[in-house]
Amino acid sequence: MSNYHIKHLEEYYQVYRKSVRDPENFWEEVAEEHFLWRKKWDKVLSWDFTKPEVKWYEGAQLNITENCIDRHLTTRGEKTAIIFEPNNPDEEAEHITYRQLHERVCEFANVLKDQGVKKGDRVCIYLPMIPELAISLLACARIGAIHSVVFAGFSSTALSTRINDSDCKMVITSDGSYRGGKEIDLKGIVDEALHDCPGVKTVLVAKRINSDIAMKEGRDKWLQPLLDEAYRDCVPEIMDAEDPLFILYTSGSTGKPKGMLHTTAGYMVYTAYTFKNVFQYREKDVYWCTADIGWITGHSYIVYGPLANGATTVLFEGVPSYPDFGRFWEIIEKHKVNQFYTAPTAIRALAKESLDFVEKHDLSSIKVLGTVGEPINEEAWHWYNVNVGKKKSPIVDTWWQTETGGIMISPIPYATPTIPTYATLPLPGVQPALMDENGNEIKGNQVDGRLCIKFPWPAMARTIWGNHQRYKDTYFSAYENKYFTGDGALRDEVGYYRITGRVDDVIIVSGHNLGTAPIEDAINEHPAVAESAIVGFPHDIKGSALYGYVILKVTGESRDQNNLRKEINQIITEQIGPIAKLDKIQFTSGLPKTRSGKIMRRILRKIACNEMENLGDTSTLLNPEVVQEIIENKL
Ligand code: 6R9
């Protein structure tokens, strides 16, 4: 029996039991069999959740790019590693073989070195979904630099905050990007961000849209001429198992974004292992994940997990609606995609359009369908199952987080029977626990509670960059000796998990995690706004949308409310990005508050969701009368 590739349910249970009985032995066997180590570990695991400190494969040495690229060259040199599908369907797709990928990563790595980037330096990557994006991650990893990818839909303010938080000395960007029918001036956004980033010495600019952009003397350099000059081989930097690989920011419920730090060996082993099992990848398969590499899903399941398995991974630059709503299905047919991994929000958007878009394409290559990012509702699940999977392809509803690095709870296709809305069973090595409000673990089945993980897994984030205390407070303080996910879940009579959603102030809009605090901060910057609170409410396509309650300063009360609404959304767009715009903005004279002055978002959420009948006890509020006013003026 191989631990590495599970093929039926009995085997899953066997492997799972083994992984829980002796996790160290289990993860040692996985690591022994499938990777290239420059030096083996002295100790598989040491951990202490009270500090918290977790180390996997201590003493081992490796380079993740040797595992993702070099190791495949003898057997898969001519195999396609990356299929690049451009935004415009008339532009030809590019097939990059493992040998070509090796060359391009080495050249890029040499450019980074020539520009003075060293092991441990932070490099910010702000690129559209073009091959240079995947290649730049790998080039950083080749030389031991820590990449920090910022999603290219984020605003200049969001970008500069992230650059400064981790003190990046370089930014890699492009002259612009294509998104559907639009061209976006990425370099302009970078220029604006860099007004506030004195630490950035170099900006490398890839050419994508051939626009006429300003290049700042001494700081900005075109990438291509540097690549043309660069040597085609680059000896990989030998890294320790726990050396940092990357930082990726995720929103918290309060304060600034958290730079989650992932390290090398554990992340590699776990993403490779979960990719292989969750997608049942076979040698000749073509795999496609539609996420942007700017999110953790893209890091783990477009780049590292697939490449560590020598897979062919599709990298799509565009959007599902361009040139029409059939684009996803056209790409599946064109590249004969076998595993397709997307988000519920995309499924809901496409399900609203005519079925002709799906039906005119041959989707018979599909073997596995996946979803990630938020709970998938039953209707969307059935639409996906019937129209895309033709009822023959299992749907893997994969639950995980930026912090977990890889998929944690998910069916194994063709092994675990699926049920709509259930992420089903923990993957081997994952030990979930449901907790009650008093901090006790709830044992047995048919129960619900707050979802924790009680034993380390290799891909867990090790800290928040520059703020270990916050890491401890956020994830390891709610429940003793357990990692708290921030999600609620139920466990049904057979032990299947269903994720019920966040229990904190993070709202998931179209699969993007948005913290309430930064959005409220942005709204409050409007000169007419005194205070604000935002909550999520159900939305057909986005899953959740944002409802804002805004108190105006006296000076703002006479202003045209629709104009104010537009201006508020404009500020949000500038500070965070268009994904955080509010669907509804209600002006109010007050917000319900506890006596200690905390806004009672629970009440506001219920009102936004039209659940006025069970608002709970409002008598302990500082200002109970305001609740009635808010209900009467609800939008
Ligand atoms: C990978 C990713 C994490 C949060 C997570 C949860 C929600 C993700 C889910 C899901 C229900 C699923 N989430 N997958 N909820 N079912 N299959 O999305 O990471 O952006 O950090 O978001 O997303 O609430 O806590 P991230």
Side-chain angles (χ1 to χ4, degrees), residues 297 372-375 397-402 487 499 502 508 513:
T297 306
V372 59
E374 58 187 312
D397 177 352
T398 64
W399 174 84
W400 59 296
Q401 309 175 297
T402 305
D487 284 324
I499 311 301
R502 303 291 303 191
I508 302 186
N513 274 12

Side-chain angles (χ1 to χ4, degrees), residues 5 89 179 233 269 484 497 535:
H5 205 176
R179 263 189 96 64
D233 204 0
V269 170
F484 175 46
Y497 288 86
V535 297

Side-chain angles (χ1 to χ4, degrees), residues 195-217:
H195 287 310
D196 302 322
C197 304
V200 173
K201 303 293 175 233
T202 316
V203 179
L204 296 182
V205 188
K207 217 170 222 169
R208 177 57 183 142
I209 65 170
N210 291 309
S211 61
D212 189 15
I213 56 163
M215 295 288 278
K216 186 170 169 187
E217 188 70 42

Side-chain angles (χ1 to χ4, degrees), residues 152-396:
F154 274 143
S155 69
S156 60
T157 319
L159 177 60
S160 63
T161 312
R162 286 160 176 76
I163 289 173
N164 289 332
D165 183 75
S166 47
D167 213 357
C168 296
K169 63 193 286 191
M170 176 189 270
V171 177
I172 303 171
T173 189
S174 67
D175 57 348
S177 66
Y178 295 121
R179 263 189 96 64
K182 284 191 264 180
E183 285 186 7
I184 295 157
D185 175 21
L186 280 196
K187 176 63 167 49
I189 298 173
V190 171
D191 287 342
E192 224 178 290
L194 293 190
H195 287 310
D196 302 322
C197 304
V200 173
K201 303 293 175 233
T202 316
V203 179
L204 296 182
V205 188
K207 217 170 222 169
R208 177 57 183 142
I209 65 170
N210 291 309
S211 61
D212 189 15
I213 56 163
M215 295 288 278
K216 186 170 169 187
E217 188 70 42
R219 185 194 71 182
D220 302 351
K221 293 171 184 150
W222 289 107
L223 178 63
Q224 195 56 49
L226 299 174
L227 289 172
D228 292 341
E229 296 289 300
Y231 192 58
R232 288 182 180 179
D233 204 0
C234 171
V235 179
E237 185 79 32
I238 303 307
M239 307 295 285
D240 289 335
E242 284 295 337
D243 275 341
L245 176 63
F246 66 85
I247 297 166
L248 186 61
Y249 286 87
T250 186
S251 316
S253 48
T254 53
K256 55 181 188 173
K258 298 173 283 192
M260 304 312 306
L261 182 79
H262 285 280
T263 58
T264 307
Y267 176 82
M268 172 184 80
V269 170
Y270 193 80
T271 53
Y273 178 79
T274 50
F275 172 77
K276 180 89 174 177
N277 283 294
V278 171
F279 299 103
Q280 289 291 308
Y281 185 83
R282 303 293 161 119
E283 187 58 36
K284 293 203 165 65
D285 289 347
V286 174
Y287 159 89
W288 180 22
C289 164
T290 69
D292 192 289
I293 293 175
W295 310 114
I296 190 68
T297 306
H299 280 59
S300 302
Y301 299 109
I302 296 179
V303 182
Y304 290 112
L307 297 178
N309 281 285
T312 300
T313 174
V314 176
L315 197 158
F316 174 45
E317 182 183 30
V319 293
S321 53
Y322 180 82
D324 63 39
F325 291 99
R327 188 69 193 277
F328 273 5
W329 323 126
E330 182 206 321
I331 295 172
I332 291 175
E333 177 174 10
K334 175 172 169 192
H335 298 299
K336 302 198 170 44
V337 170
N338 303 106
Q339 292 89 0
F340 178 68
Y341 191 28
T342 195
T345 183
I347 299 168
R348 287 191 295 265
L350 295 171
K352 270 188 44 178
E353 304 301 326
S354 157
L355 264 185
D356 292 348
F357 287 119
V358 194
E359 282 169 354
K360 71 174 182 227
H361 294 288
D362 174 6
L363 305 182
S364 59
S365 56
I366 287 182
K367 297 192 282 192
V368 176
L369 294 173
T371 72
V372 59
E374 58 187 312
I376 178 164
N377 51 307
E378 210 158 332
E379 208 182 330
W381 194 97
H382 284 299
W383 187 89
Y384 199 32
N385 181 38
V386 172
N387 299 299
V388 184
K390 316 290 179 199
K391 293 192 187 163
K392 67 171 182 51
S393 301
I395 297 177
V396 290

